[in-house]
Amino acid sequence: MNTKMKLFSYETVDTPIHRLSGLTKLICFLFLTFAVMYSYDIRVILFVMVFSITILKLSKIKFSQIKLMVVYVLIFILTNMVISFFFAPEMGVEIYGTRHVITKIYGKYALTQEQVLYQVTKQFKYASVIPLGMIFLLTTNPSEFASSLNRVGVNYMAAFAVSLTLRYFPDIQRDYRDITLAQQARGLDLSHKAKLKDRFKNALLIVIPLIFSSLDRIELISNAMDLRGFAKAKTRTWYTAKRFNREDYLAIIISALIFFLTIYVSIFINKSRFYNPFI
């Protein structure tokens, strides 16, 4: 199968990350995400970012699988940085309580050291969380994850809905690619040579069939589940159930330690969520 068809979908690879339970990866993801979102200490955020990139490499995820996401993230980060400075050029000054001007730009707009630190810290927060989400999405077997959720008390119908959602990503990608190739074979121009208005109109000719094919698949799956008596019983068994092992507990402990270390640094060392080197 083409690698492009495997974007955001699970692949079976023998790595320590893939061997972890889906519930373990969810707990670790939440611990690390909460740690990054709570703290504005760039030292802590850089540590989590290096840690997440290391785990990303350990999971043997190919760059071709995440290339599209990386491009979107970079665009989002750059756009967010420009908009943040445009609407709140003095936010860093308000947070840190000092003002060290680097250069005057125009009118009320001046680049300060405080604003640079604030915006760089905020963008690194996003850059730290994205790899964690990629790891969770690309290394988690949807069925095994659903069974783990059900084992900790989540209703099995809700857990199964999560599993279907994760499984649906590669199906949508495959349908989109098939419809795109079919439309291009009919002469539909989606290249950069076409005008923007024409490309937008042609894109609708792909999106509309994609929506209808998705609705057909939903109806097909619903009918199949009804015929098999889904939701008739209060409980169910799982073919891919996985028990916690030593690696699962170790991963949760490490993630919890990073989270509590972040809280400790913010409360007892910085006395604030923000690290202020200008004092």
Side-chain angles (χ1 to χ4, degrees):
M1 183 182 292
N2 194 321
T3 304
K4 293 181 179 179
M5 296 284 290
K6 298 180 182 179
L7 295 171
F8 313 128
S9 62
Y10 170 77
E11 287 187 57
T12 303
V13 183
D14 186 20
T15 70
I17 308 304
H18 285 77
R19 290 195 295 268
L20 294 175
S21 166
L23 181 61
T24 299
K25 280 177 273 195
L26 176 62
I27 294 173
C28 294
F29 172 74
L30 293 177
F31 267 132
L32 295 174
T33 301
F34 288 157
V36 172
M37 291 296 102
Y38 178 80
S39 175
Y40 271 85
D41 190 326
I42 193 170
R43 301 168 299 180
V44 173
I45 293 170
L46 284 175
F47 171 77
V48 176
M49 186 171 70
V50 172
F51 178 77
S52 61
I53 292 175
T54 302
I55 299 301
L56 188 67
K57 291 184 177 181
L58 185 62
S59 62
K60 296 181 180 180
I61 295 174
K62 300 175 182 177
F63 180 72
S64 58
Q65 294 177 262
I66 61 175
K67 180 180 178 181
L68 185 63
M69 176 64 77
V70 171
V71 172
Y72 286 153
V73 169
L74 290 177
I75 294 174
F76 168 77
I77 288 177
L78 292 175
T79 304
N80 183 271
M81 184 176 293
V82 173
I83 294 176
S84 297
F85 181 76
F86 181 78
F87 286 102
E90 297 291 316
M91 180 61 71
V93 174
E94 295 178 12
I95 291 173
Y96 299 111
T98 58
R99 196 170 193 271
H100 299 84
V101 178
I102 299 175
T103 181
K104 191 79 173 178
I105 299 178
Y106 176 78
K108 67 176 182 178
Y109 293 99
L111 187 63
T112 62
Q113 295 180 18
E114 290 80 1
Q115 186 69 15
V116 170
L117 177 61
Y118 165 70
Q119 292 204 200
V120 169
T121 302
K122 188 169 72 170
Q123 307 316 318
F124 275 136
K125 286 165 74 73
Y126 299 136
S128 301
V129 171
I130 296 302
L132 298 173
M134 293 178 181
I135 293 168
F136 173 73
L137 189 61
L138 296 175
T139 65
T140 304
N141 185 319
S143 297
E144 187 274 321
F145 179 52
S147 67
S148 299
L149 289 177
N150 181 231
R151 198 170 72 247
V152 296
V154 177
N155 184 279
Y156 77 86
M157 289 182 284
F160 200 80
V162 173
S163 173
L164 287 178
T165 302
L166 293 176
R167 287 180 177 276
Y168 202 48
F169 285 117
D171 292 336
I172 293 178
Q173 293 160 17
R174 183 179 59 251
D175 288 348
Y176 177 82
R177 182 172 179 271
D178 292 342
I179 295 171
T180 301
L181 293 176
Q183 297 287 34
Q184 288 177 345
R186 295 183 177 94
L188 196 69
D189 189 3
L190 296 172
S191 67
H192 295 288
K193 297 179 181 179
K195 295 180 180 179
L196 181 62
K197 181 179 69 174
D198 294 335
R199 288 167 59 190
F200 178 76
K201 182 178 67 176
N202 294 339
L204 290 178
L205 298 178
I206 298 175
V207 172
I208 293 174
L210 180 63
I211 292 174
F212 281 109
S213 66
S214 299
L215 293 176
D216 288 340
R217 180 177 286 106
I218 291 172
E219 183 179 4
L220 180 65
I221 294 174
S222 299
N223 290 335
M225 292 170 66
D226 287 337
L227 290 172
R228 287 167 174 79
F230 184 79
K232 298 297 182 182
K234 294 183 179 180
T235 59
R236 63 161 289 169
T237 57
W238 298 87
Y239 180 74
T240 56
K242 182 186 292 184
R243 295 184 178 276
F244 274 25
N245 54 33
R246 185 176 61 180
E247 293 177 341
D248 290 288
Y249 291 113
L250 180 61
I252 293 174
I253 290 172
I254 292 174
S255 301
L257 286 176
I258 293 175
F259 171 73
F260 289 115
L261 179 62
T262 301
I263 303 299
Y264 175 82
V265 170
S266 298
I267 296 177
F268 297 102
I269 297 180
N270 295 338
K271 309 295 183 182
S272 169
R273 293 176 60 195
F274 297 89
Y275 166 61
N276 191 348
F278 304 104
I279 299 177

